[in-house]
Amino acid sequence: MKLRVNGKDHHVDVEDDMPLLWVLRDELGLMGTKYGCGIAQCGACTVHMDGIAVRSCQLAAADVDGDITTIEGLGTPESLHAVQEAWVETQVAQCGYCQSGQIMQVASFLDMNPEPTDDQIDAAMSGNLCRCGAYPRIRAAIRSAAGKMAAA
Amino acid sequence: MGRARTIARRTFLTGAVAIAGGVAFGTYLVRRDPQNPLADGLGPGAATFNPWVKIDAQKITLITPHADIGQGAVHMQATLLAEELDLDLGQFDTEFGEPAPAYHNTALAGEGTPYRITDQGVVARGTLATIGGLAKIIGLQGTGGSSSVADSFDKLRAAGATARETLKLAAAQKHGVEGADLTTKSGAVILPDGTAIPYVDLAADAAAIDPVRDVPLRAASDWRLIGKPTQRSDIRAKSTGTLSYAIDLQLDGMVHAAVRLSPRRSGVRSFDAEAARTMRGVVDVFPITNGLAVLADNTWRAFRAAEAIDVTWQDAAYPAEQADHWKAVEASFTDAHLDTSLRDDGDVESALAADAVRAEYRVPYVAHAPLEPMMALVRVTDDQVEVWTAHQLPRVLQQQVAGVTGHKSGQVVLHNQYAGGSFGNRLECEYVAVAAEIANQVRGTPVKMTFRREEDFAQDFPRPLGMMRGAGDVDSGQVRALALDIASPSPIGSMIGRLGLPQAGPDIQIPAGAWNAPYGIENFRVRAYATPGVAPVSSWRSVGASGAGFFIEGFLDEVIHAAGADPLEERLRLCDWDVARGTLEAVAEMSNWGESLPEGKGRGVAMVESFGVPVAEVVEVTDTPDGIRIDKVWVAADVGTVVDPVNFENNVQGAVVWGLGHAMNSEITYSDGMAEQSNYHAAEGMRLYQAPQIMVRGLETHFAVRGIGEPPVPPAAPALANAIFAATGMRLREMPFNRHVRFI
Ligand code: FES
Ligand code: FES
């Protein structure tokens, strides 16, 4: 089966129902996308399909019908995406394990809604668990990222 | 300045010496010194000055042995070393180092002793008769009990200072100048003419000389890094998905393992693995202790095959039903189970009138559930076991793994990794032992064993459940008596039992946060009872104080209410430790305590000292038609010195979210011998929409430098309960609170 991930085509030989999460991690070696719950409860596995945030643990490989972007494709340590810049400046991460998912969720959300209200932020982000409780900084970084994206 | 006074001969590194000045060795001596683990494998021309600093011609490496479980320990340790070594952040690499006696945690020596933090007398400090404290396990070399800063603060600054002075001495000899005329800056020694000699260019020279020691530490006013906001060394990697956790590592020839372990922590009665064996990618299925292991070529295939095994389990050794766990706790308030009686001021019995305030409080079992599930990557060969995982007790892990594979402890190599959270879970060795047992069956092949989240919940050793029976009395508008009887299983006893170590005496974690409360109540008694025969339990962020802190601060609020006094004013009146009083005064000022609030809003306060750190919190809630909304939290904590204000704030906010979230909605209950909660939908803690604004103030009046990872947890739940009482008139005496109120 053919997948386009971070601008590159890949052929993978996997079961139709293997979740995209495990195709990315164990077949393609893209380890930035994380496993947290496997049942759409934590958001650690969030990636983009055609720019829309999806839970890759819930998306069967055969159901992928768009370009996939993972955290590795969003930006790099040398060339940060605006959301990542805000994440670094605000120093959001504690253990950091949830942050790939948080950042992917925010990048897609701000793309569609560049000037969100507090309620919209709450609604968009509440599927992403942070066991370390970095929520106050996540909120602040979203505001900062929105500012950066508006200015860009 | 005579060289004789500044240069030491070889010195043995003991805990005490390490604190006093760090120890520096020339390469030749270091190579023979078993006490500096950096000596092995040191290349030619490389210098190690002590167990924390290694410099060669290419780079500077700082060893940060305290595990990083999200609290920023790597950055904190590097900051302390870099401060005295005159390194800029970013000029060095960090490594966790290998398990070694040199990294003994000296800060925890007193953590298990029954002395209040304020009791700094000779007797208190000199008595290390551990009565089952965390120190016993962690002191070997460990991260826990919020002790990393306390353990590192002097030791690592001294290590940086001795390395700096040795490099200066090397430069002085090489360039024929007086050492006193040299300075250091940004990783270089500066000669009198202004020439900068990078440390890396001095490594070979420094390696050849005897090291300098007993270097005085710089005054706080000279600090460049400590106390200033700095950028955490791991923040860029953690914001770009490029930090590799243990779960992300891949080795050549690696296979993936998943397990089905008994959710009753018992043996297998029968199983049928035929379906699992024939599934795509499955390499093998075989029995292991208390369950079965699947090897496959992909994590998900291993998970699916594990789920496809048909298995029945033996009965649990503890009660099958939750109600019977509670009955066991209720039955343990007897003299036979009395574990400690650490506080007995005045005469509680005569002070309690017939109409005294009486109440019963409860806290449930709660799982740790860090977001990175428990996993380990292990490769066993005939003469070595390599383990890649994140763990807080490296030397204990070595022993436990060696016990499983039949190797010697010294043959177990731990490559410690950044953890995707812990909250106490990585003090446990079971998940590593499981991986080692599997890898031992396929020697030579690296095995990455990952718990499915459901397995992670099932195998979690939770925070103990517990109960408190309290009585309190008042007179003339003041609290006059407080008597708390607390019963729970012993978390430390349970952990020590799993490690196969003999349990020595009682566990002061059962009443932690209550017996040591800095209140001078005239008649004040705290008795603790150890409950036997329930589920195995563990340390959970803030350990005993996560329960007993709620007991005392929730119940004290009731007694204060009965006295007709203001909750914050009366706590201030009772408080007998100026450092703790400072935190109460700070939150009063920050929250403008006492101002009139709109209809439906209420505020509660709580203050708990745990791990030597007093933390006061005020929570503000609104009683809306849809339920309780937590609006704001003000926090003041006194840790003596705040090493990094940004990380401090993040840790405090996270700890408050942790304390509030689990108090709101999380518990583990047993039915049919198994935990009923299997994933985050059933124990989710706090989500972003529920997170309040959290205002944080770090105070620095404490006589000691302490850590902040855990102490803000215990006051959060009682401050919330007290706020809900203020807003609604309803007393919450049982967690999780969503058994009684709805949260929005
Ligand atoms: S792993 Fe996909 S939502 Fe948790
Ligand atoms: S930073 Fe640890 S789970 Fe979010």
Side-chain angles (χ1 to χ4, degrees), chain A residues 21 34-45 55 57:
Chain A
L21 168 65
K34 305 301 186 200
Y35 166 69
C37 69
I39 60 162
Q41 286 296 306
C42 76
C45 64
R55 306 292 185 234
C57 73

PDB file of all heavy atoms in Angstrom, chain A residues 21 34-45 55 57, ligand 1:
ATOM      1  N   LEU A  21      -0.575   4.932  13.156  1.00  0.00           N
ATOM      2  CA  LEU A  21       0.431   5.157  14.201  1.00  0.00           C
ATOM      3  C   LEU A  21       1.569   4.149  14.111  1.00  0.00           C
ATOM      4  O   LEU A  21       2.745   4.497  14.178  1.00  0.00           O
ATOM      5  CB  LEU A  21      -0.242   5.066  15.583  1.00  0.00           C
ATOM      6  CG  LEU A  21       0.690   4.994  16.805  1.00  0.00           C
ATOM      7  CD1 LEU A  21       1.499   6.279  16.954  1.00  0.00           C
ATOM      8  CD2 LEU A  21      -0.134   4.746  18.084  1.00  0.00           C
ATOM      9  N   LYS A  34       3.588   9.602  18.958  1.00  0.00           N
ATOM     10  CA  LYS A  34       3.655   8.732  20.143  1.00  0.00           C
ATOM     11  C   LYS A  34       2.398   7.888  20.363  1.00  0.00           C
ATOM     12  O   LYS A  34       1.290   8.304  20.026  1.00  0.00           O
ATOM     13  CB  LYS A  34       3.874   9.581  21.406  1.00  0.00           C
ATOM     14  CG  LYS A  34       5.090  10.492  21.367  1.00  0.00           C
ATOM     15  CD  LYS A  34       6.393   9.753  21.162  1.00  0.00           C
ATOM     16  CE  LYS A  34       7.575  10.695  21.285  1.00  0.00           C
ATOM     17  NZ  LYS A  34       8.780  10.160  20.650  1.00  0.00           N
ATOM     18  N   TYR A  35       2.628   6.762  21.005  1.00  0.00           N
ATOM     19  CA  TYR A  35       1.531   5.915  21.489  1.00  0.00           C
ATOM     20  C   TYR A  35       1.264   6.261  22.954  1.00  0.00           C
ATOM     21  O   TYR A  35       2.192   6.256  23.773  1.00  0.00           O
ATOM     22  CB  TYR A  35       1.935   4.443  21.392  1.00  0.00           C
ATOM     23  CG  TYR A  35       1.039   3.486  22.173  1.00  0.00           C
ATOM     24  CD1 TYR A  35      -0.272   3.260  21.777  1.00  0.00           C
ATOM     25  CD2 TYR A  35       1.511   2.828  23.305  1.00  0.00           C
ATOM     26  CE1 TYR A  35      -1.089   2.377  22.483  1.00  0.00           C
ATOM     27  CE2 TYR A  35       0.704   1.950  24.020  1.00  0.00           C
ATOM     28  CZ  TYR A  35      -0.598   1.736  23.601  1.00  0.00           C
ATOM     29  OH  TYR A  35      -1.406   0.867  24.304  1.00  0.00           O
ATOM     30  N   GLY A  36       0.005   6.559  23.271  1.00  0.00           N
ATOM     31  CA  GLY A  36      -0.327   6.825  24.669  1.00  0.00           C
ATOM     32  C   GLY A  36      -1.450   5.934  25.173  1.00  0.00           C
ATOM     33  O   GLY A  36      -1.393   5.412  26.285  1.00  0.00           O
ATOM     34  N   CYS A  37      -2.496   5.751  24.340  1.00  0.00           N
ATOM     35  CA  CYS A  37      -3.663   5.015  24.827  1.00  0.00           C
ATOM     36  C   CYS A  37      -4.205   4.026  23.810  1.00  0.00           C
ATOM     37  O   CYS A  37      -4.797   3.020  24.168  1.00  0.00           O
ATOM     38  CB  CYS A  37      -4.774   5.994  25.220  1.00  0.00           C
ATOM     39  SG  CYS A  37      -5.495   6.842  23.793  1.00  0.00           S
ATOM     40  N   GLY A  38      -4.079   4.343  22.529  1.00  0.00           N
ATOM     41  CA  GLY A  38      -4.584   3.464  21.481  1.00  0.00           C
ATOM     42  C   GLY A  38      -6.086   3.533  21.278  1.00  0.00           C
ATOM     43  O   GLY A  38      -6.629   2.825  20.429  1.00  0.00           O
ATOM     44  N   ILE A  39      -6.784   4.357  22.054  1.00  0.00           N
ATOM     45  CA  ILE A  39      -8.255   4.388  21.938  1.00  0.00           C
ATOM     46  C   ILE A  39      -8.803   5.822  21.842  1.00  0.00           C
ATOM     47  O   ILE A  39      -9.889   6.107  22.329  1.00  0.00           O
ATOM     48  CB  ILE A  39      -8.932   3.650  23.114  1.00  0.00           C
ATOM     49  CG1 ILE A  39      -8.556   4.284  24.460  1.00  0.00           C
ATOM     50  CG2 ILE A  39      -8.588   2.162  23.110  1.00  0.00           C
ATOM     51  CD1 ILE A  39      -9.491   3.908  25.606  1.00  0.00           C
ATOM     52  N   ALA A  40      -8.034   6.719  21.243  1.00  0.00           N
ATOM     53  CA  ALA A  40      -8.511   8.092  21.017  1.00  0.00           C
ATOM     54  C   ALA A  40      -8.782   8.874  22.298  1.00  0.00           C
ATOM     55  O   ALA A  40      -9.615   9.772  22.318  1.00  0.00           O
ATOM     56  CB  ALA A  40      -9.769   8.094  20.140  1.00  0.00           C
ATOM     57  N   GLN A  41      -8.061   8.564  23.355  1.00  0.00           N
ATOM     58  CA  GLN A  41      -8.286   9.262  24.626  1.00  0.00           C
ATOM     59  C   GLN A  41      -7.202  10.263  24.973  1.00  0.00           C
ATOM     60  O   GLN A  41      -7.373  11.067  25.877  1.00  0.00           O
ATOM     61  CB  GLN A  41      -8.387   8.233  25.758  1.00  0.00           C
ATOM     62  CG  GLN A  41      -9.678   7.463  25.761  1.00  0.00           C
ATOM     63  CD  GLN A  41     -10.873   8.357  26.020  1.00  0.00           C
ATOM     64  OE1 GLN A  41     -10.918   9.088  26.990  1.00  0.00           O
ATOM     65  NE2 GLN A  41     -11.832   8.317  25.118  1.00  0.00           N
ATOM     66  N   CYS A  42      -6.038  10.197  24.306  1.00  0.00           N
ATOM     67  CA  CYS A  42      -4.932  11.025  24.791  1.00  0.00           C
ATOM     68  C   CYS A  42      -4.368  12.007  23.769  1.00  0.00           C
ATOM     69  O   CYS A  42      -3.777  13.010  24.143  1.00  0.00           O
ATOM     70  CB  CYS A  42      -3.803  10.144  25.326  1.00  0.00           C
ATOM     71  SG  CYS A  42      -2.801   9.362  24.038  1.00  0.00           S
ATOM     72  N   GLY A  43      -4.496  11.715  22.485  1.00  0.00           N
ATOM     73  CA  GLY A  43      -4.024  12.649  21.468  1.00  0.00           C
ATOM     74  C   GLY A  43      -2.516  12.620  21.206  1.00  0.00           C
ATOM     75  O   GLY A  43      -2.020  13.383  20.376  1.00  0.00           O
ATOM     76  N   ALA A  44      -1.787  11.750  21.869  1.00  0.00           N
ATOM     77  CA  ALA A  44      -0.331  11.708  21.689  1.00  0.00           C
ATOM     78  C   ALA A  44       0.051  11.325  20.264  1.00  0.00           C
ATOM     79  O   ALA A  44       1.143  11.622  19.809  1.00  0.00           O
ATOM     80  CB  ALA A  44       0.294  10.720  22.671  1.00  0.00           C
ATOM     81  N   CYS A  45      -0.861  10.657  19.568  1.00  0.00           N
ATOM     82  CA  CYS A  45      -0.581  10.105  18.237  1.00  0.00           C
ATOM     83  C   CYS A  45      -1.033  11.034  17.114  1.00  0.00           C
ATOM     84  O   CYS A  45      -1.085  10.632  15.964  1.00  0.00           O
ATOM     85  CB  CYS A  45      -1.311   8.772  18.102  1.00  0.00           C
ATOM     86  SG  CYS A  45      -3.108   8.989  18.186  1.00  0.00           S
ATOM     87  N   ARG A  55      -6.269  11.345  14.798  1.00  0.00           N
ATOM     88  CA  ARG A  55      -5.608  10.444  15.749  1.00  0.00           C
ATOM     89  C   ARG A  55      -5.102   9.238  14.960  1.00  0.00           C
ATOM     90  O   ARG A  55      -5.909   8.422  14.484  1.00  0.00           O
ATOM     91  CB  ARG A  55      -6.589   9.977  16.830  1.00  0.00           C
ATOM     92  CG  ARG A  55      -7.302  11.092  17.565  1.00  0.00           C
ATOM     93  CD  ARG A  55      -6.363  11.915  18.435  1.00  0.00           C
ATOM     94  NE  ARG A  55      -7.125  12.888  19.212  1.00  0.00           N
ATOM     95  CZ  ARG A  55      -6.879  14.190  19.219  1.00  0.00           C
ATOM     96  NH1 ARG A  55      -5.876  14.701  18.515  1.00  0.00           N
ATOM     97  NH2 ARG A  55      -7.618  15.003  19.948  1.00  0.00           N
ATOM     98  N   CYS A  57      -3.811   6.578  15.860  1.00  0.00           N
ATOM     99  CA  CYS A  57      -4.103   5.251  16.430  1.00  0.00           C
ATOM    100  C   CYS A  57      -5.473   4.747  15.992  1.00  0.00           C
ATOM    101  O   CYS A  57      -5.786   3.583  16.156  1.00  0.00           O
ATOM    102  CB  CYS A  57      -4.000   5.261  17.955  1.00  0.00           C
ATOM    103  SG  CYS A  57      -5.349   6.110  18.807  1.00  0.00           S
TER     104      CYS A  57
HETATM  105  S1  FES C   1      -2.636   6.995  21.232  1.00  0.00           S
HETATM  106 FE1  FES C   1      -4.066   7.802  19.832  1.00  0.00          FE
HETATM  107  S2  FES C   1      -5.280   9.072  21.083  1.00  0.00           S
HETATM  108 FE2  FES C   1      -3.975   8.097  22.495  1.00  0.00          FE
END
